[in-house]
Amino acid sequence: MPGTHAFGTTFSWNSALVAGLTAINGIELSVDTIDVTTHQSANYYKEILPGLIDPGEVSIEGQFDYTDVSGQQAMLADLNSRTARTGVITFPASTGSSWTFQGYITNLKIGDAPIDDKIPFSATIKPTGKPVFAVATSAGLSALIISNSAVLAPAFAAGTTDYVASVLTGVSSVTITPTASAGTITITTNGASQVVASGEASSAILLGSAVSVTVVTITVQETNKAPRVYTIRINRP
């Protein structure tokens, strides 16, 4: 699975996007430890218990934008009033992922003023309580049919993403008919991909030689959600 480029990540404060950002350093969770070592601890090793969970700090930086009243200037006002707000880090739309937390601004800087560079802006927010990490995932398929009397195992179910299919002797190709309520459906096999409309059959998918397995992946991608990927291993007798 390839990594995801971070470009396009956003940070909002009190439901308003903060402008001009070039770096957003996200939530870093750490667990405190409580030392419960005694004279009876085995093998000279320390023993610990997990303590409280620290959500760390969220830091953002970029360039000062004097027009950003609802973002940068609002953050300054909330620092002065010591007001907790909701912060949201939203990763690129293809991931469907976000961190949401309540927090206080503990540091904010506008400046320096270099002779040959932009005026920078930076802020640090300390979360209070538990941050929530969410991944919005595409709903996926509601039905899946393979031609030529191929038998799917297990039987199709919306929450199941891995299948094995068996075809009859002599069958060298199949078509796949996927159905989804939303999103783009892409079928990939042997390095080639095709986009298929919901409820429509794909073009012919050539199977390998006799006594081989052809791996087919079906990706359902809704806007601003992580894709749902199905894998079908088609056995040719």
Side-chain angles (χ1 to χ4, degrees), residues 33-42 45-51:
T33 58
I34 301 170
D35 192 336
V36 293
T37 309
T38 71
H39 286 294
Q40 286 72 47
S41 295
Y45 276 86
K46 286 186 174 182
E47 296 180 277
I48 63 110
L49 289 175

Side-chain angles (χ1 to χ4, degrees), residues 16-237:
L17 289 180
V18 179
L21 299 183
T22 57
I24 302 168
N25 299 316
I27 298 288
E28 182 177 353
L29 303 175
S30 62
V31 180
D32 294 338
T33 58
I34 301 170
D35 192 336
V36 293
T37 309
T38 71
H39 286 294
Q40 286 72 47
S41 295
N43 303 311
Y44 299 94
Y45 276 86
K46 286 186 174 182
E47 296 180 277
I48 63 110
L49 289 175
L52 300 178
I53 302 173
D54 187 345
E57 294 180 328
V58 173
S59 60
I60 58 175
E61 58 184 63
Q63 57 190 20
F64 173 53
D65 184 342
Y66 65 91
T67 67
D68 188 20
V69 175
S70 60
Q72 294 184 14
Q73 292 186 39
M75 293 184 77
L76 176 59
D78 289 332
L79 181 148
N80 284 321
S81 64
R82 297 186 296 178
T83 301
R85 300 289 192 188
T86 300
V88 181
I89 301 170
T90 304
F91 296 101
S94 61
T95 71
S97 305
S98 64
W99 276 110
T100 302
F101 60 94
Q102 291 286 313
Y104 292 92
I105 300 170
T106 58
N107 179 275
L108 189 146
K109 181 178 180 180
I110 298 175
D112 309 313
I115 193 172
D116 60 349
D117 204 352
K118 64 194 177 188
I119 299 173
F121 167 85
S122 63
T124 302
I125 305 98
K126 178 64 178 177
T128 176
K130 181 182 178 180
V132 177
F133 182 70
V135 178
T137 304
S138 301
L141 299 177
S142 57
L144 177 63
I145 299 173
I146 304 177
S147 67
N148 290 328
S149 302
V151 178
L152 199 63
F156 178 78
T160 303
T161 57
D162 287 281
Y163 297 92
V164 173
S166 299
V167 298
L168 300 173
T169 301
V171 172
S172 60
S173 68
V174 296
T175 62
I176 295 177
T177 303
T179 302
S181 59
T184 300
I185 305 173
T186 304
I187 298 178
T188 303
T189 187
N190 300 321
S193 298
Q194 54 178 303
V195 175
V196 180
S198 176
E200 300 292 332
S202 68
S203 58
I205 297 172
L206 297 178
L207 304 180
S209 58
V211 196
S212 68
V213 176
T214 301
V215 179
V216 179
T217 60
I218 304 174
T219 303
V220 183
Q221 174 77 71
E222 295 181 48
T223 303
N224 296 334
K225 292 185 178 181
R228 188 178 294 272
V229 181
Y230 298 81
T231 301
I232 307 172
R233 294 170 176 85
I234 303 177
N235 294 318
R236 182 179 179 187

